Amino acid sequence: MAAALEHENQVFLDLFHQDGLVICARGLGIDRILLRFLRLYCEPASLVLVLNTSPAEEEYFIDQLRSDGVVHLPQRVTNEITSNCRYEVYTQGGVLFATSRILVVDFLTNRIPSDLITGILVYKAHRIIESCQEAFILRLFRQKNKKGFIKAFTDNAIAFNTGFCHVERVMRNLFVRKLYLWPRFHIAVNSFLEKHKPEVVEIHVSMTPAMLTIQTSILDILNVCLRELKRYNPALEVEDLSLENAIGKPFDKTIRHYLDPLWHQLGAKTKSLVQDLKILRTLLQYLTQYDCVTFLNLVESLRATEKAFGQNSGWLFLDSSTSMFVNARARVYHISDDKISNKSKVSEKMDIKEGKELKRELVLESNPKWEALREVLKEIESENNNCEDLGGPGQVLICASDDRTCAQLREYIISGAEALLMRLYNKTFGKDERAGEAWIKDRKAVKSKGNAKSDKGPQAKKAKVEACSKQNKIMKKQDLTLTQMMGKTEEEDVGEEMEGYKELSSSEEINIEETKPEDFHLNLASDAYYGIFKNPLTIIHPLQGCSDPYALTRLLHEVEPRYVVLYDAELTFVRQLEIYKASRPGKPLRVYFLIYGGSTEEQRYLTVLRKEKEAFEKLIREKASMVIPEEREGRDETNLDLIRDSTSATVSTDTRKAGGQEQKSVQQTIIVDMREFRSELPSLIHRRGIDIEPVTLEVGDYILTPDICIERKSISDLIGSLNNGRLYSQCISMSRYYKRPILLIEFDPSKSFSLTSRGSLHQEISSNDITSKLTLLTLHFPRLRILWCPSPHATAELFEELKQNRPQPDAAIAMAITADSEIVPESDKYNPGPQDFLLKIPGVNAKNCRVLMNHVNSISELVTLSQDKLLEILGNAVNAKQLYDFIHISYAEAISKAKTQR
């Protein structure tokens, strides 16, 4: 690993001497600081737990420490290590990456030696809310260990911008008193990075007139949709829903944040507007990100899909919409004048098939950024030819936003714009050979008129080209509806482009050699790269969508490029490049920054910059006025957050009971299934002063008393369990072994407290409805009770009330009950198999079943009884007749009897 930078040393020393929360600017290397702490504690003498890391991040940290020569590497505690072996792992010391569920269970069962823990490092600390598992772990740790440290790290300042006193609440959950802020404009960071600035070449690419017109049209429509949304929902008059924010990436989350709690109350118009905003934002992204053919394909699908047209909120009929459609087509083709004069005026609403009857002249407008990229690569090539002073040619790294863009850029550099656009046109709109031939002839004529700057630069080097490392992701392109198109994953998009490598037109006019690119494999940690030239090494890598979050960081240090071309702007990676340059003083680095001038792409980048700056300014103001109690760290018994007591201070003493003497209270206990520790509920129950016993339960999720068993279901889990029949078998088991079986339906507090929205209620009752299935469930299990809880907090409160003045459950008995148990705890007289069979016979119900079993020893004896004897046992003539008829009447008699009754 590269040597630590000046500001990193300062951050490390501050946090080492006093626990706290460090908030860094994005890309400034919060992972590097955490890595230094990991290296410090990678020794058997200490035991340090790391919370909130993903498997990919853990792998990266372990790889970095291994390359630094660390002997006692961190261990990962997952469910692959059995519970009996975990104590040994903990006592070996060093750094441990453990899943939250395992740590909670081990703290509760005292399997982890709490007093031996040196401290806890918390990554991505902005996610630590009161009810999350990590906050529960920290609370358990502080209750049992008053000396260990807690150090927290995050690089997401914007996350602290929402809610009231968010940063103070996070610090309270972390049990830290100090807040360390390190924005990019911090004087220490700024002065240091200014000394080691990379050479930056900003290239503001001009959009074509058609692209500018389309962008203006989409922005106009977006503005109209936002105004309509606020008109229908006056409560949404908030500055977050502005046009500037609407073009940013987090806008979908923002709008759902406001609308989710009342989604079931919204009308069809509002829901349609939300969907339209999503579509329009996708159009804006496609306009600057991809080529003219891909954009037109998406636009045509909007018009062709009847479903989208029928549910549209009305923006398709605006003038701006017409302008967008006209210009999108004009970028790809135009209809020749002679045909238009013959056919009067072609309607804008013409069907695509009608359009194909007219003679198209292909335009296939090239992406302006492609030309800029070609010029940059030519400049780098010429510099590499005269690079004796720098010790040989420099490696080149091109960064684009996603896999699809990378695939297109690779094909463009290899084959040229003409071949790429022609292939996409043929694949998307069918082979219009006459139009294609005419376009190629026109292009050849232009070239023959002394145009020296032809597109053959990259083609001359085609023999050096590496086959793409992701060539196996090939998927067949189909005619997609709009909803399919919007829902496609990035991998499918890549698949679409990859298919084209096999479909490159073999037409002689295109003048592409049939030679296959030579394959060579680079031994790089990241497998997401797209290789182009081997010497000097030139590769393209996506900025997003990689399975490894540190793929680009690894690539930078492995390839050590001299030239980096940012085809798409991304704030985190720009900062990463600054840190990369500062960590390699004296080595040259030139960054080419391609961006469309005056575009939404540029505005999006500037908005992200502004928002982070404002978030840090707000945090600085909050830090100045923050009042932090002395006992915040919980190192003594005065911290109220560590007290587990459900009774409030205002509760008065009951003087009727022995003159107000203090009564002996029994410690409340709830038995919880191991699998339930993925949810927030156990943490909230523990917070209310109730002890939790984690065990593996086969029947139920929570055992409150010896009689009360609860099966907890979230809404998605409830729907799945009802559909696949799992809930039915769970209810059978609960009803068999517990007197009071309960189904708890728990809602997400950020969503509406409603099972079905008003719009989905129909006059006709369907057996497939969730409500119908729940009704059948309650009819089938008369003893089953259903609890509806709007949030986990409400559930914890309800559990506490249900347990009042009731005996505590026994974990050994609860664990012994399995779905196949033959002995019923409260009554071992009856075999459950025949009992279930009896309950399904007409005339037998839950009320008379026990009476019948007391008088009759077996099913064979029941068959021999007369109707009078059955009446005597059951005490109800109707039930006795139903049961007797069911046993003795043949199927044919029963059918004829039913017909006569009709």
Side-chain angles (χ1 to χ4, degrees):
M1 184 182 169
L5 310 180
E6 280 179 21
H7 67 275
E8 289 177 352
N9 285 332
Q10 188 61 48
V11 176
F12 176 80
L13 290 171
D14 286 349
L15 195 57
F16 178 75
H17 289 303
Q18 190 165 3
D19 295 357
L21 166 64
V22 172
I23 306 176
C24 262
R26 277 198 182 283
L28 277 191
I30 196 78
D31 52 307
R32 289 163 61 95
I33 296 162
L34 176 61
L35 205 55
R36 286 191 68 180
F37 277 102
L38 294 179
R39 195 186 299 107
L40 178 68
Y41 295 114
C42 272
E43 56 181 19
S46 58
L47 172 59
V48 174
L49 305 176
V50 186
L51 303 183
N52 236 0
T53 49
S54 67
E57 288 163 344
E58 290 163 13
E59 197 178 321
Y60 169 74
F61 289 133
I62 292 169
D63 284 351
Q64 291 295 311
L65 291 168
R66 188 182 289 115
S67 63
D68 288 350
V70 173
V71 179
H72 200 272
L73 288 171
Q75 294 190 69
R76 295 161 83 171
V77 181
T78 61
N79 54 9
E80 292 172 10
I81 300 174
T82 60
S83 55
N84 299 328
C85 300
R86 288 207 291 269
Y87 182 79
E88 292 175 27
V89 175
Y90 294 136
T91 50
Q92 285 169 11
V95 174
L96 296 178
F97 295 108
T99 62
S100 301
R101 186 177 69 86
I102 286 173
L103 280 179
V104 167
V105 170
D106 286 354
F107 267 113
L108 288 170
T109 54
N110 291 320
R111 194 175 287 122
I112 186 168
S114 308
D115 53 326
L116 298 180
I117 297 174
T118 315
I120 296 181
L121 301 172
V122 186
Y123 199 43
K124 290 178 281 200
H126 58 277
R127 296 182 182 172
I128 307 297
I129 58 170
E130 184 187 8
S131 57
C132 74
Q133 292 288 2
E134 287 73 25
F136 190 17
I137 291 165
L138 293 169
R139 198 164 69 245
L140 290 169
F141 167 67
R142 255 305 163 246
Q143 282 168 357
K144 299 180 178 188
N145 184 325
K146 304 292 182 187
K147 294 178 181 175
F149 65 76
I150 296 174
K151 303 181 192 300
F153 311 80
T154 183
D155 62 353
N156 191 345
I158 298 170
F160 294 99
N161 226 359
T162 55
F164 179 69
C165 291
H166 193 155
V167 70
E168 200 168 342
R169 281 183 285 132
V170 168
M171 288 172 68
R172 182 177 172 178
N173 296 328
L174 288 166
F175 298 98
V176 295
R177 296 183 65 237
K178 277 284 187 182
L179 176 63
Y180 302 103
L181 300 175
W182 288 85
R184 172 64 179 80
F185 56 80
H186 191 292
I187 190 160
V189 179
N190 197 38
S191 60
F192 177 72
L193 292 180
E194 284 297 312
K195 289 181 205 167
H196 303 278
K197 268 200 307 189
E199 183 189 346
V200 180
V201 180
E202 280 191 39
I203 302 172
H204 287 265
V205 183
S206 300
M207 296 169 81
T208 62
M211 286 173 77
L212 278 169
T213 312
I214 292 169
Q215 180 180 277
T216 308
S217 302
I218 297 173
L219 288 174
D220 287 346
I221 300 165
L222 258 176
N223 216 358
V224 170
C225 286
L226 282 171
R227 280 207 309 272
E228 283 287 290
L229 189 65
K230 289 177 182 176
R231 187 164 72 84
Y232 281 97
N233 304 278
L236 290 180
E237 277 293 344
V238 286
E239 57 186 34
D240 287 350
L241 302 183
S242 63
L243 186 61
E244 182 189 4
N245 289 335
I247 61 177
K249 284 180 183 173
F251 184 71
D252 284 336
K253 282 185 184 174
T254 307
I255 201 162
R256 297 295 299 195
H257 170 73
Y258 286 109
L259 293 178
D260 267 351
L262 41 111
W263 190 254
H264 64 298
Q265 299 171 359
L266 299 177
K269 182 77 174 175
T270 303
K271 291 180 179 178
S272 177
L273 282 165
V274 171
Q275 183 61 25
D276 289 340
L277 286 170
K278 188 177 178 183
I279 291 167
L280 290 164
R281 282 158 41 76
T282 307
L283 282 171
L284 266 181
Q285 184 201 346
Y286 270 54
L287 177 66
T288 53
Q289 199 66 52
Y290 306 122
D291 57 278
C292 58
V293 179
T294 307
F295 180 76
L296 179 64
N297 187 27
L298 177 60
V299 168
E300 292 287 12
S301 74
L302 283 173
R303 199 153 249 198
T305 310
E306 284 183 29
K307 186 180 175 188
F309 200 82
Q311 292 182 348
N312 182 267
S313 59
W315 67 265
L316 276 173
F317 306 107
L318 297 173
D319 291 341
S320 299
S321 167
T322 309
S323 166
M324 179 183 75
F325 282 109
V326 169
N327 281 285
R329 285 175 184 159
R331 291 178 69 204
V332 179
Y333 61 82
H334 70 268
I335 312 298
S336 57
D337 295 337
D338 55 336
K339 286 282 179 187
I340 290 176
S341 58
N342 292 344
K343 277 204 169 190
S344 65
K345 190 178 181 183
V346 179
S347 166
E348 271 307 313
K349 292 181 184 177
M350 69 178 177
D351 192 64
I352 296 173
K353 288 181 182 176
E354 290 174 14
K356 281 186 180 175
E357 288 170 14
L358 301 172
K359 187 181 176 185
R360 291 178 178 179
E361 290 181 6
L362 294 187
V363 177
L364 296 182
E365 178 182 278
S366 179
N367 197 329
K369 260 196 190 180
W370 291 353
E371 307 300 329
L373 178 64
R374 166 150 304 179
E375 293 301 317
V376 166
L377 291 176
K378 279 183 182 174
E379 183 181 319
I380 291 170
E381 187 184 354
S382 65
E383 284 200 13
N384 274 337
N385 291 335
N386 309 306
C387 59
E388 288 79 11
D389 302 343
L390 297 169
Q395 325 266 45
V396 183
L397 172 64
I398 304 167
C399 289
S401 70
D402 54 25
D403 275 320
R404 187 176 193 172
T405 314
C406 292
Q408 282 198 352
L409 288 181
R410 182 181 181 278
E411 189 177 348
Y412 165 72
I413 295 167
I414 293 166
S415 316
E418 296 172 24
L420 169 59
L421 291 171
M422 196 67 214
R423 176 186 71 74
L424 286 171
Y425 180 80
N426 287 340
K427 186 157 73 80
T428 310
F429 296 105
K431 296 201 174 186
D432 188 351
E433 289 178 11
R434 284 178 301 172
E437 285 173 17
W439 182 69
I440 290 160
K441 281 177 185 173
D442 289 346
R443 298 290 293 169
K444 289 184 85 175
V446 169
K447 285 185 180 182
S448 61
K449 289 179 183 175
N451 187 0
K453 293 182 181 179
S454 70
D455 272 354
K456 288 189 181 178
Q459 289 176 24
K461 294 190 177 180
K462 189 171 180 190
K464 298 179 185 175
V465 171
E466 178 228 349
C468 174
S469 69
K470 289 192 172 181
Q471 200 114 16
N472 56 349
K473 291 187 189 172
I474 297 171
M475 300 183 80
K476 195 73 181 166
K477 167 78 175 173
Q478 298 172 343
D479 294 331
L480 297 172
T481 63
L482 175 67
T483 45
Q484 286 170 322
M485 199 153 202
M486 304 300 293
K488 278 193 307 183
T489 61
E490 289 298 331
E491 284 192 9
E492 287 170 333
D493 288 348
V494 176
E496 236 174 77
E497 300 304 324
M498 290 307 180
E499 186 193 320
Y501 295 145
K502 291 190 175 180
E503 289 183 10
L504 275 172
S505 176
S506 58
S507 169
E508 289 178 10
E509 286 90 341
I510 296 180
N511 194 26
I512 289 187
E513 305 151 35
E514 291 285 329
T515 56
K516 194 178 179 183
E518 67 168 287
D519 285 357
F520 67 86
H521 178 69
L522 298 172
N523 188 20
L524 298 178
S526 170
D527 64 345
Y529 66 89
Y530 294 74
I532 303 176
F533 305 133
K534 190 171 183 179
N535 194 17
L537 181 63
T538 303
I539 55 178
I540 307 179
H541 199 285
L543 290 162
Q544 293 152 0
C546 301
S547 56
D548 178 7
Y550 294 100
L552 263 175
T553 312
R554 292 175 190 266
L555 199 74
L556 268 181
H557 290 94
E558 283 181 43
V559 175
E560 295 196 338
R562 189 184 299 163
Y563 305 100
V564 177
V565 183
L566 288 175
Y567 185 84
D568 292 305
E570 211 239 344
L571 179 63
T572 307
F573 188 60
V574 171
R575 299 252 178 84
Q576 237 175 308
L577 286 172
E578 286 187 299
I579 297 292
Y580 168 71
K581 173 68 177 78
S583 64
R584 298 164 69 253
K587 293 187 179 178
L589 174 68
R590 183 184 297 170
V591 180
Y592 291 92
F593 201 85
L594 304 184
I595 200 158
Y596 283 117
S599 68
T600 52
E601 180 194 27
E602 184 181 36
Q603 185 57 51
R604 204 178 295 128
Y605 180 76
L606 295 172
T607 302
V608 172
L609 263 176
R610 179 181 61 78
K611 283 197 168 178
E612 190 188 72
K613 184 170 178 286
E614 286 174 358
F616 269 112
E617 286 170 351
K618 184 184 174 187
L619 285 170
I620 291 165
R621 287 195 299 273
E622 277 190 33
K623 183 181 176 182
S625 60
M626 202 183 287
V627 178
I628 298 168
E630 283 290 327
E631 67 275 5
R632 168 62 56 79
E633 291 189 350
R635 293 183 187 273
D636 49 36
E637 298 300 329
T638 54
N639 189 326
L640 297 175
D641 290 327
L642 294 175
I643 296 171
R644 295 174 55 230
D645 190 8
S646 55
T647 55
S648 63
T650 56
V651 175
S652 58
T653 308
D654 189 353
T655 55
R656 282 189 243 171
K657 292 183 180 177
Q661 291 176 20
E662 193 174 332
Q663 303 294 313
K664 284 186 180 179
S665 58
V666 179
Q667 178 56 46
Q668 301 285 329
T669 306
I670 290 179
I671 297 167
V672 183
D673 183 35
M674 290 283 195
R675 291 172 287 265
E676 279 298 301
F677 283 94
R678 293 186 181 93
S679 70
E680 301 173 5
L681 188 53
S683 165
L684 298 170
I685 293 171
H686 187 268
R687 189 72 187 263
R688 299 189 77 84
I690 301 171
D691 280 353
I692 290 173
E693 251 184 280
V695 297
T696 304
L697 296 175
E698 278 200 38
V699 177
D701 292 330
Y702 296 85
I703 312 297
L704 269 58
T705 71
D707 295 339
I708 300 176
C709 172
I710 293 181
E711 181 69 36
R712 189 188 73 91
K713 296 285 180 193
S714 63
I715 298 301
S716 57
D717 195 15
L718 175 73
I719 293 166
S721 301
L722 281 170
N723 289 339
N724 63 22
R726 191 159 53 93
L727 184 56
Y728 178 80
S729 56
Q730 286 171 334
C731 288
I732 287 176
S733 300
M734 285 200 299
S735 302
R736 181 178 295 162
Y737 302 117
Y738 292 95
K739 286 181 182 175
R740 291 189 178 86
I742 294 174
L743 172 63
L744 166 70
I745 300 172
E746 193 175 83
F747 288 77
D748 185 339
S750 64
K751 303 281 175 68
S752 59
F753 185 36
S754 166
L755 193 61
T756 51
S757 61
R758 285 186 304 182
S760 61
L761 292 173
H762 306 292
Q763 289 182 337
E764 294 293 324
I765 296 174
S766 166
S767 60
N768 290 325
D769 287 341
I770 295 302
T771 44
S772 301
K773 289 179 179 176
L774 270 178
T775 309
L776 286 170
L777 196 72
T778 51
L779 286 171
H780 199 86
F781 300 101
R783 288 191 295 142
L784 182 70
R785 298 289 177 262
I786 297 181
L787 295 179
W788 303 83
C789 290
S791 70
H793 289 81
T795 308
E797 191 176 344
L798 201 59
F799 279 12
E800 189 179 4
E801 289 175 11
L802 285 170
K803 279 189 65 62
Q804 281 179 3
N805 303 321
R806 287 196 170 92
Q808 305 310 311
D810 188 329
I813 294 172
M815 286 172 70
I817 296 172
T818 65
D820 303 323
S821 297
E822 292 193 358
I823 298 172
V824 185
E826 67 267 23
S827 168
D828 55 1
K829 289 183 188 177
Y830 308 119
N831 193 340
Q835 186 178 346
D836 289 344
F837 176 75
L838 269 182
L839 283 167
K840 288 179 172 62
I841 297 176
V844 182
N845 54 41
K847 292 178 182 176
N848 59 26
C849 183
R850 287 291 170 92
V851 181
L852 189 63
M853 285 191 288
N854 284 335
H855 286 83
V856 183
N857 292 323
S858 64
I859 299 286
S860 57
E861 186 184 335
L862 175 66
V863 174
T864 61
L865 296 178
S866 65
Q867 189 170 340
D868 293 336
K869 184 65 178 172
L870 287 173
L871 174 59
E872 185 187 325
I873 294 170
L874 298 176
N876 184 301
V878 176
N879 288 342
K881 188 175 186 317
Q882 278 184 338
L883 179 55
Y884 185 80
D885 287 352
F886 173 75
I887 295 169
H888 293 94
I889 292 179
S890 67
Y891 177 71
E893 284 180 82
I895 294 294
S896 62
K897 203 172 186 180
K899 284 181 180 176
T900 55
Q901 283 177 354
R902 284 179 193 170

